[in-house]
Amino acid sequence: MSTHTVKWYKSLSFQGLIGIGFITLWLFAGIVLVMNTRGKKLLAKESSRLIEITGNNAVSELNARSLEIAALTRTLAVTAEKLPKSEATFKKIIPELINFQGDLAVAGGGIWPEPYSFQPDKQRRSFFWGRDKSGNLKYYDDYNQSCLGYHHEEWYVPVRYTKQNTCFWSKSYIDPYSYQPMVTCTVATFDQGKFSGAATIDLNLEGLQSFAESLQKQTGGYVFILDRNNRFITFPKTNLIRPFGKDNQSKKTEKLYLASELAAKEPFFLPLSEAVEKMNAEIVSKALQRQNYNSIVAAAINRDSYQIEQAEAELISAAIANPLKQSQNQTNLYTRIELKNDFVINKASTAFIFHVPNSYWKLVIVKPVSEINAVADNIIQLLIIYSLLTIVLIMFVAYFILSRFLIKPLLQTTSNVRIMGALVADKKFNQISNLPIKHTTSNEIGLLAQVFNILATEVVEQHNQLEQANEGLEFKVSERTAQLAQANTEIIALNDRLKHENLRMSAELSITRRLQEMILPKQQELNQVKGLEIASFMQPADEVGGDYYDVLSYDGRVKIGIGDVTGHGLSSGVLMIMVQTAVRTLLENNETDPVKFLNVLNRTIYHNIQRMNIDKSMSIALLDYEEGKLRLSGQHEEIIVVRAKGRIEQIDTIDFGFPIGLEPDIAAFVAQKEIGLNPGDVVVLYTDGITEAENESGVQYGLERLCEVVNCNWQRSAEEIKQVVIEDVRAHIDTQKVYDDITLLVLKQK
């Protein structure tokens, strides 16, 4: 095979030089383009990131101070709960806690009992201390003399609906005596588990102006702070947000503007005002989607406080639900907006809006866009110059190495490779091993020659082995195909048997469930019970449930039963039907003695369980109703009784019976309790499918929440109470799977 001389303009040396030059220009142009587009954005983003870090640190400082004041208020609340109800004791101990080791930022505080809870003959009996001009605490009795009373104040009403030991932060306001901005932290107090009033600490916000100014020096631009309602706490131009005036007695007045009020006077502030208003709207929207949000709270707050309008009540109830608690784990930056022309610095700017946890304040940092981009421009210029010099040097060295160690060895190897290629093309494999390529270098070129020699030898060997392997492969494929066909036939037969078995079991479960539904009391029977409103609900976890309830009338009296068989499914449903039949049989036999009644019922079920050879038992409570009286026997969940004024009684049934089906004789464990009912009293019976219902986080619904919902709705009818409870349970469960039967029975004395 003959070779030809390569022309100079087609040589690797010339083309390599042209290629290196082109690559140099391409890389330089690419670096300039990337740095002025993507790079500039990334550097500007990093500059914004630094502002975000600074803002997060500032939020942490504000939050640390709020946590400190919240801890002081909780201490004050706990102390008030433990102290004896003595005016002398309160006036001696409470001011020492409020003083907080002389911290003048703590402007005052006090204890605010519920009506008649401190003294039965006094509706308002508060204990409040505030600092005078010299910084000493002074006792004030003004709130006790007010015709409206502190029980309707903006800082008092919402705390009725907060969690225990949680601080509710009021809106910011100007103190009418010191003319300083203030905010109040309120924590609920309790007496024997019942809300009994509140403890408060007033925090002076005057120092936050200097805090914002020091933060402004770190970030450039300017900084201001808004409270939950978007009322200004600080602003660079104080005269714009704290207008002075006079009241009808010619006394000096001062207030803090809302962001919307400033926007009405300064149109260029409108984008910022709209952004924080939108943030509040989103907070309310997010709260509405949370399981712990109670829509009743907003209406109650609006109703009970003359200072709170409906929109503010909705925002307060949203803050109580705390929808931003989980979403602010990584950063407290809520949003950022671009301002075409900020009215304070008269430049295009970026506003960074931060959320302050717990208090739901907002920290806003406004920085000119030109300052954010200035650092990026300087860095880009330096990087471009450095990159150009580096690329030129690298390309020069690359050309030298390419020519010496690649191009020349390749030319020397090319001729030998051509000969080997011709032999392969003519399928003269046996001659390839007689023409090895000589390799004189130890780099990749030499390795390439060595690899070609090895491959040439293996090509012949692999060609012969491939022909033998093809013959063996055809036999194995045929054998494997036959095995798969047999396995497929067996799988089809097994699927047919499984389908038949599933159809049989489904039919059995359907029949059992239908039997359960047939023996449950009909609404017409419940409506005929004299003296009681009765509403019921039952939802099994599977096709057949293990919960039991019944309402049976006999001889002018009513027998009410509720129980829960362990587990659910077919055997639990059958056992529930047995219990209903046994209870009906004992009633028809005129058995009225609770001990004999439950003992005979237990023996019947016990012996059936032994015959069925199943591991089941059942809790059951039986109530006999007659003329406003309930006689309780049996062991089940606690019974909730809500008196007409909303007072809750919880009756533990542990001492009135024993689980059915565990022992042949339970007579020694059975006892009876009488419960008197007045008009309007509500009795709630339930199974553990309600109290142990879990949400997606594994949190149970709980007896406390059930009591709270019933207590808030006791004035309604039995049917309405039942519906509210079931809707609240379903809202708690949401999309989580229901693992247990749910049964609810609501009785209300007419």
Side-chain angles (χ1 to χ4, degrees), residues 612-682:
M612 294 165 67
N613 194 24
I614 58 174
D615 184 16
K616 297 285 185 179
S617 63
M618 178 182 185
S619 65
I620 186 169
L622 298 175
L623 298 94
D624 291 288
Y625 174 79
E626 185 178 9
E627 295 181 355
K629 292 182 181 180
L630 284 173
R631 285 184 294 277
L632 163 68
S633 60
Q635 184 186 105
H636 188 56
E637 304 294 328
E638 291 190 13
I639 293 177
I640 303 172
V641 180
V642 185
R643 298 303 181 182
K645 294 185 178 180
R647 180 170 58 86
I648 285 185
E649 297 177 8
Q650 295 174 218
I651 301 174
D652 192 344
T653 63
I654 190 69
D655 295 328
F656 302 114
F658 195 80
I660 300 296
L662 287 179
E663 296 291 336
D665 192 325
I666 64 169
F669 301 99
V670 179
Q672 189 177 43
K673 178 180 177 64
E674 185 172 291
I675 305 169
L677 298 180
N678 296 316
D681 287 353
V682 177

Side-chain angles (χ1 to χ4, degrees), residues 229-524:
N229 298 342
N230 295 331
R231 191 176 298 278
F232 286 98
I233 296 175
T234 71
F235 197 72
K237 298 181 179 182
T238 310
N239 60 306
L240 294 179
I241 64 160
R242 293 176 64 173
F244 292 91
K246 291 184 178 180
D247 60 15
N248 53 11
Q249 298 179 357
S250 298
K251 292 184 179 179
K252 175 184 175 183
T253 61
E254 183 180 358
K255 70 171 188 175
L256 294 172
Y257 262 174
L258 292 165
S260 58
E261 293 176 311
L262 179 59
K265 293 189 174 184
E266 299 289 345
F268 284 113
F269 188 74
L270 183 60
L272 267 173
S273 173
E274 291 176 342
V276 295
E277 292 295 335
K278 180 182 177 182
M279 180 175 171
N280 277 3
E282 290 174 351
I283 289 171
V284 173
S285 177
K286 290 178 180 179
L288 290 172
Q289 301 172 14
R290 289 180 62 85
Q291 295 178 354
N292 66 337
Y293 182 80
N294 191 340
S295 59
I296 301 174
V297 171
I301 292 174
N302 173 243
R303 180 195 65 222
D304 294 341
S305 176
Y306 66 96
Q307 296 174 327
I308 301 176
E309 300 297 332
Q310 180 62 33
E312 184 180 356
E314 292 175 356
L315 180 59
I316 290 173
S317 63
I320 291 174
N322 202 6
L324 299 185
K325 182 177 181 181
Q326 300 298 328
S327 61
Q328 303 294 327
N329 288 337
Q330 299 298 324
T331 179
N332 290 292
L333 178 63
Y334 187 87
T335 188
R336 68 185 76 189
I337 62 171
E338 302 300 325
L339 305 174
K340 293 183 178 179
N341 185 21
D342 181 75
F343 90 103
V344 175
I345 53 183
N346 295 318
K347 292 181 181 179
S349 304
T350 301
F352 300 79
I353 304 176
F354 294 84
H355 160 67
V356 181
N358 301 316
S359 62
Y360 274 73
W361 291 354
K362 301 169 187 71
L363 173 73
V364 184
I365 300 176
V366 182
K367 187 174 179 68
V369 175
S370 58
E371 292 185 13
I372 296 176
N373 293 333
V375 176
D377 292 337
N378 293 334
I379 294 175
I380 288 172
Q381 291 176 5
L382 292 175
L383 286 175
I384 290 174
I385 295 172
Y386 175 78
S387 299
L388 178 61
L389 295 175
T390 302
I391 290 172
V392 171
L393 178 61
I394 290 174
M395 291 305 170
F396 176 78
V397 174
Y399 177 76
F400 175 79
I401 295 173
L402 183 67
S403 176
R404 183 179 179 87
F405 297 101
L406 179 61
I407 296 175
K408 289 181 179 180
L410 281 175
L411 290 175
Q412 294 173 0
T413 308
T414 302
S415 61
N416 288 338
V417 173
R418 285 179 178 176
I419 297 173
M420 292 184 64
L423 293 174
V424 171
D426 295 337
K427 297 184 179 180
K428 297 178 180 179
F429 298 104
N430 294 329
Q431 298 180 26
I432 292 176
S433 58
N434 298 326
L435 294 172
I437 299 175
K438 296 180 180 180
H439 45 89
T440 57
T441 61
S442 58
N443 59 15
E444 286 82 356
I445 302 300
L447 180 61
L448 178 63
Q450 183 181 2
V451 170
F452 264 101
N453 291 335
I454 296 172
L455 289 176
T457 303
E458 291 184 352
V459 164
V460 178
E461 296 178 357
Q462 293 295 330
H463 177 73
N464 296 330
Q465 293 176 6
L466 182 61
E467 292 182 349
Q468 297 176 359
N470 283 337
E471 295 177 359
L473 183 60
E474 289 177 359
F475 175 76
K476 290 182 178 179
V477 168
S478 176
E479 184 182 33
R480 186 60 177 167
T481 301
Q483 293 174 353
L484 290 174
Q486 182 179 356
N488 186 52
T489 302
E490 294 175 356
I491 290 172
I492 292 173
L494 180 60
N495 282 336
D496 289 340
R497 289 198 299 272
L498 288 174
K499 288 179 181 178
H500 178 74
E501 185 66 18
N502 285 338
L503 287 174
R504 183 186 63 79
M505 293 181 64
S506 178
E508 291 178 355
L509 290 174
S510 178
I511 293 171
T512 306
R513 183 175 184 178
R514 179 57 181 157
L515 287 173
Q516 282 186 310
E517 294 174 349
M518 291 172 63
I519 63 174
L520 289 176
K522 306 301 185 289
Q523 188 59 47
Q524 182 179 1

Side-chain angles (χ1 to χ4, degrees), residues 76 94 98 106-112 127-130 137 200-202:
L76 192 63
I94 297 303
I98 296 173
V106 177
I111 304 298
W112 313 84
F127 298 86
F128 173 72
W129 285 264
L137 288 175
T200 62
I201 290 294
D202 296 334

Side-chain angles (χ1 to χ4, degrees), residues 83-128:
L83 288 176
K85 294 180 181 180
S86 165
E87 292 187 7
T89 303
F90 268 52
K91 290 182 178 180
K92 178 181 179 181
I93 294 177
I94 297 303
E96 294 182 5
L97 293 175
I98 296 173
N99 190 45
F100 202 40
Q101 299 179 345
D103 188 344
L104 297 181
V106 177
I111 304 298
W112 313 84
E114 276 280 83
Y116 309 108
S117 66
F118 190 85
Q119 290 179 257
D121 59 339
K122 290 188 177 181
Q123 183 180 12
R124 297 182 293 275
R125 187 59 192 99
S126 63
F127 298 86
F128 173 72

Side-chain angles (χ1 to χ4, degrees), residues 682-724:
V682 177
V683 179
V684 178
L685 309 176
Y686 59 93
T687 61
D688 59 4
I690 290 181
T691 55
E692 296 179 4
E694 295 183 353
N695 60 16
E696 293 181 352
S697 301
V699 178
Q700 293 187 348
Y701 185 78
L703 179 58
E704 181 179 350
R705 180 163 174 176
L706 175 59
C707 290
E708 180 182 349
V709 173
V710 176
N711 191 28
C712 292
N713 296 276
W714 66 268
Q715 307 96 325
R716 301 187 179 190
S717 68
E719 179 65 26
E720 290 173 330
I721 296 172
K722 178 208 74 176
Q723 193 62 33
V724 169

